């Protein structure tokens, strides 16, 4: 056993779990009339109802004791102070500075980074306004009607998700599109119907060497120059990168290159110039409202006691379910079509951050870390995988996310959405016993024998935990707070597990192997040294490609 799992706080939680083993949510609600008041909390524009979770006041106290044992308050202070919390790469993780709305300095290695942050925000405002208002134009003098962001990972998932989430605020804006996959069909579909004369590309890559991004950027440049010539590149491309020599060699003017910094991790970079597509879509005022919502959550996380702290509460519950109850997955269920990309965004945020098996001291962990995050918008998911959530053999803790007020005037639709969301949390928590199901069928006139036969199939075990996150409305401010809530939740998990949430070495090996295999696809390099499976697949691929020739368009 590791030091963590042998620790007093961990052992106390295991004993407590065993004592609660037969206690159900039905019983907890029957015994505690004030359960909602005791286990819900407010954080800025968000209300979190945690009452439908397997917890009592003692559970929360014991989880907070684990957090204190793992020095969570100290780690929160380190995070905000610019300490190198990313110890394997020797970097801070000060993405909170990007959305700092206060006058408070924020420093990395003794230097206040806020002047540089504000300078980039000012440049983003001028550039996005120039494009949106038609003052910045293409090589033939036409305004830009299409903006294509080329990036991958954090340079795609965050801005893409936010642009989709705030689509209701994107009137009179260019059509902002996203390309990430190195599969050329992604780029071709993004360019479908676009005019080279009216298209602006944003290439987002910190190093300007990311393989997939640069392959797509090169193809985009060929598409543009094939219609407008090489001189058009400077007017039709911008970049978010630290590699100015690389962007200059590509043909991008230095005044269209937007900086960000090595203390900003990719999956936390939405708040930086990586968010330029968001500013293009909804305007810089709305982008700064997004920053303000995130800043409000930062302040809540930094200053609120552990018992009343929203990111802390969620992170504690994540550890409770993953490590003490064997729940290997968590479903994120936004009841908003605008948030349809949120689960994918949170997959990277959570799984790339905490999918680790080595702790901060270099020891292999002996407990689960990093739950598998998945989900789809309600109500679509109800007609797909909710069957497993309600009656399956695996327990999946769920996050339900819904806004009290809809984005449009169709109140009836939003009322249906709200009713479905609340009904699902109710059904998961309390279920329906076999006797209740049978009585219901008998009251509807079903023969007793048939009702008895069907009652096991039509009963629901309940006692399935969920958290409901209620937004006042889905606006930029609330969205910023929601995203920051999840960011800090992931950090809380990492502190309790004693792992580094800010590196991602697990993505590197596949990249290295792909680079080795690329020349072998065409047969330029021999297959010596490969395993039998990979060599066999390469042989089959070359045979098919040689017999069919290039794909036609």
């Amino acid at each position: 056993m590791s030091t963590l799992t042998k620790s007093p706080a961990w052992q106390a939680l295991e004993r407590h779990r065993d004592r609660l083993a037969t206690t159900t949510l039905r019983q907890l609600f029957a015994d505690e009339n004030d359960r909602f008041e005791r286990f819900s909390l407010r954080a800025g524009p968000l209300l979190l109802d945690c009452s439908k979770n397997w917890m009592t006041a003692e559970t929360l106290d014991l989880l907070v004791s684990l957090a204190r044992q793992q020095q969570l308050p100290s780690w929160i202070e380190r995070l905000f102070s610019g300490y190198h919390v990313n110890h394997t790469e020797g970097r801070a993780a000060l993405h909170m500075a990007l959305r700092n709305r206060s006058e408070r300095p924020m420093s990395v290695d003794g230097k206040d980074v806020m002047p540089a942050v504000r300078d980039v925000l000012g440049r983003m405002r001028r550039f996005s306004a120039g494009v949106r208002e038609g003052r910045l134009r293409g090589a033939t003098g036409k305004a830009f009607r299409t903006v294509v962001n080329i990036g991958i990972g954090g340079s795609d998932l965050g801005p893409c998700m936010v642009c989709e989430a705030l689509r209701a605020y994107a009137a009179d804006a260019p059509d902002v599109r996203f390309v990430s996959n190195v599969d050329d069909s992604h780029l071709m579909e993004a360019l479908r119907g676009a005019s080279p004369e009216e298209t602006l590309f944003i290439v987002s890559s910190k190093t300007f060497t990311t393989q997939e991004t640069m392959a797509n950027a090169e193809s985009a440049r060929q598409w543009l120059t094939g219609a407008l010539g090489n001189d058009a590149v400077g007017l039709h491309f911008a970049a978010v990168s630290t590699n100015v020599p690389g962007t200059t060699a590509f043909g991008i003017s230095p005044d269209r290159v937007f900086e960000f910094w090595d203390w900003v991790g990719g999956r936390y970079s939405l708040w930086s110039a990586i968010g330029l597509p968001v500013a293009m879509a909804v305007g810089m005022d709305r982008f700064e409202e997004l920053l303000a919502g995130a800043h409000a959550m930062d302040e809540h996380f930094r200053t609120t006691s552990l018992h009343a702290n929203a990111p802390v509460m969620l992170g504690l519950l994540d550890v409770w379910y993953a490590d003490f109850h064997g729940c290997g997955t968590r479903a994120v269920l936004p009841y908003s079509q605008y948030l349809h990309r949120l689960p994918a965004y949170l997959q990277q945020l959570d799984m790339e951050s905490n999918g680790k098996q080595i702790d901060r001291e270099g020891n292999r962990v002996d407990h689960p870390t990093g739950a598998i995050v998945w989900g789809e918008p309600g109500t679509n998911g109800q007609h797909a995988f909710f069957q497993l959530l309600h009656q399956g053999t695996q327990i999946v803790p769920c996050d339900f996310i819904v806004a009290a007020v809809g984005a449009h005037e169709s109140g009836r639709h939003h009322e249906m959405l709200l009713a479905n969301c609340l009904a699902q949390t109710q059904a998961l928590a309390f279920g329906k016993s076999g006797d209740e199901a049978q009585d219901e069928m008998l009251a509807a006139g079903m023969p007793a024998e048939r009702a008895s036969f069907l009652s096991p199939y039509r009963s629901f075990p309940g006692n399935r935990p969920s958290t409901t996150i209620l937004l006042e409305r889905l606006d930029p401010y609330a969205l910023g707070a929601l995203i920051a809530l999840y960011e800090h939740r992931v950090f809380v998990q990492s502190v309790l597990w004693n792992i580094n949430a800010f590196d991602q070495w697990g993505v590197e090996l596949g990249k290295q192997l792909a680079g080795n295999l690329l020349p072998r696809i065409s047969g330029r390099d021999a297959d010596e040294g490969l395993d039998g499976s990979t060599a066999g697949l390469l042989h089959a691929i070359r045979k098919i490609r040689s017999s069919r020739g290039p794909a036609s368009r």
Side-chain angles (χ1 to χ4, degrees), residues 103-185:
E103 297 300 318
R104 186 173 63 247
M106 299 189 76
S107 298
V108 175
D109 298 328
K111 180 180 180 181
D112 181 12
V113 301
M114 291 311 304
V117 168
R118 295 187 184 104
D119 177 68
V120 171
L121 288 172
R123 294 185 60 224
M124 288 173 63
R125 175 176 288 277
R126 291 188 292 273
F127 185 65
S128 60
V131 172
R132 286 168 56 85
E133 296 166 8
R135 289 182 282 105
L136 293 178
R137 296 174 175 257
T140 63
K142 293 185 177 182
F144 294 113
R145 297 177 58 194
T146 304
V147 175
V148 179
N149 186 79
I150 301 175
I152 198 167
S155 300
D156 169 80
L157 285 165
C160 180
M161 181 272 290
V162 171
C163 284
E164 289 294 308
L166 300 181
R167 188 174 285 273
Y169 294 86
D172 303 321
D175 180 11
V176 179
R177 306 177 184 182
F178 290 85
V179 174
S180 56
N181 201 328
V182 74
D183 182 348
D184 61 350
S185 60

Side-chain angles (χ1 to χ4, degrees), residues 41-48 293 296-297 300 304 310 470-472 477-478 481:
L41 51 88
R42 290 189 176 274
L46 310 182
L47 169 66
L48 279 71
M297 185 58 67
H300 169 87
T304 306
L470 179 66
L471 289 63
E472 295 172 6
Y477 186 82

Side-chain angles (χ1 to χ4, degrees), residues 29 34-42 46-53 55 310 313-314 317 398-400 422 425-426 429-430 465-470:
F29 272 86
D34 61 346
R35 188 167 174 81
F36 173 79
E37 288 74 19
R38 295 173 66 191
F39 295 110
S40 63
L41 51 88
R42 290 189 176 274
L46 310 182
L47 169 66
L48 279 71
D49 174 19
C50 300
S51 63
K52 295 189 181 81
N53 281 284
M55 65 186 302
M313 175 75 84
L314 296 184
L317 287 171
C398 298
D399 291 352
F400 287 84
L422 298 184
T425 71
Q426 190 177 20
F430 308 120
S466 70
T467 299
T468 301
I469 302 173
L470 179 66

Side-chain angles (χ1 to χ4, degrees), residues 288-310:
E288 293 199 345
E289 289 173 19
L290 183 83
L291 301 184
H295 175 68
M297 185 58 67
D298 292 341
E299 293 297 283
H300 169 87
F301 181 54
R302 188 176 66 87
T303 63
T304 306
S305 68
L306 298 184
H307 277 84
N309 194 306

Side-chain angles (χ1 to χ4, degrees), residues 193-223:
S195 164
E197 295 177 281
E198 299 169 313
T199 300
L200 173 70
F201 294 97
I202 302 171
V203 184
S204 295
S205 171
K206 182 184 292 188
T207 63
F208 217 69
T209 59
T210 307
Q211 187 180 67
E212 299 93 335
T213 298
M214 297 317 300
N216 283 326
E218 183 58 42
S219 294
R221 181 169 63 177
Q222 292 173 8
W223 177 82

Side-chain angles (χ1 to χ4, degrees), residues 52-111:
K52 295 189 181 81
N53 281 284
W54 296 338
M55 65 186 302
T56 64
E58 183 183 4
T59 313
L60 181 56
D61 287 343
L62 290 171
L63 286 167
V64 169
S65 294
L66 177 64
R68 293 194 184 283
Q69 173 190 280
Q70 298 301 101
Q71 303 179 5
L72 178 59
S74 174
W75 277 104
I76 294 173
E77 184 179 344
R78 293 177 193 178
L79 178 70
F80 280 85
S81 70
Y83 176 83
H84 287 192
V85 291
N86 182 355
H87 71 297
T88 63
E89 296 181 300
R91 295 175 181 171
L94 201 61
H95 42 279
M96 298 79 65
L98 302 170
R99 60 219 190 192
N100 179 18
R101 303 283 92 188
S102 73
E103 297 300 318
R104 186 173 63 247
M106 299 189 76
S107 298
V108 175
D109 298 328
K111 180 180 180 181

Side-chain angles (χ1 to χ4, degrees), residues 238-429:
V240 183
S241 180
T242 60
N243 182 0
V244 175
T247 58
T248 301
F250 189 89
I252 301 173
S253 302
D255 63 346
R256 293 194 175 187
V257 178
F258 297 85
E259 181 183 11
F260 68 119
W261 304 273
D262 66 3
W263 43 265
V264 180
R267 56 194 172 279
Y268 300 91
S269 62
L270 161 68
W271 320 100
S272 71
I274 290 294
L276 186 59
V278 179
M280 294 288 184
V282 300
M284 197 63 189
D285 287 346
R286 298 294 193 191
F287 182 74
E288 293 199 345
E289 289 173 19
L290 183 83
L291 301 184
H295 175 68
M297 185 58 67
D298 292 341
E299 293 297 283
H300 169 87
F301 181 54
R302 188 176 66 87
T303 63
T304 306
S305 68
L306 298 184
H307 277 84
N309 194 306
V312 171
M313 175 75 84
L314 296 184
L316 293 176
L317 287 171
D318 292 337
V319 172
W320 178 232
Y321 290 128
D323 293 277
F324 297 91
H325 294 281
C327 300
T329 81
R330 184 173 72 252
V332 176
L333 310 169
Y335 273 66
S336 167
Q337 187 59 32
Y338 283 129
L339 290 175
H340 72 104
R341 292 292 295 164
L342 180 64
Y345 171 77
L346 295 179
Q347 283 174 342
Q348 185 199 24
L349 177 63
D350 202 312
M351 295 165 70
E352 192 167 270
S353 294
N354 288 340
K356 312 286 173 60
Q357 58 181 270
I358 303 298
D359 70 13
R360 283 185 164 273
E361 282 71 49
N363 304 309
R364 190 176 301 275
V365 301
D366 61 354
H367 53 82
T369 66
I372 297 167
V373 177
W374 58 281
E376 282 289 328
T379 57
N380 290 1
Q382 294 175 198
H383 296 267
F385 53 79
F386 273 49
Q387 169 64 42
L388 183 147
L389 298 182
H390 286 289
Q391 292 184 314
T393 58
Q394 302 179 63
I395 302 295
V396 181
C398 298
D399 291 352
F400 287 84
I401 303 168
V402 69
V405 179
H408 303 288
E409 296 301 320
S410 51
R412 174 64 176 159
H413 282 269
H414 198 70
E415 288 172 2
M416 291 175 63
L417 194 73
L418 286 164
N420 273 275
C421 178
L422 298 184
Q424 292 298 323
T425 71
Q426 190 177 20
L428 285 167

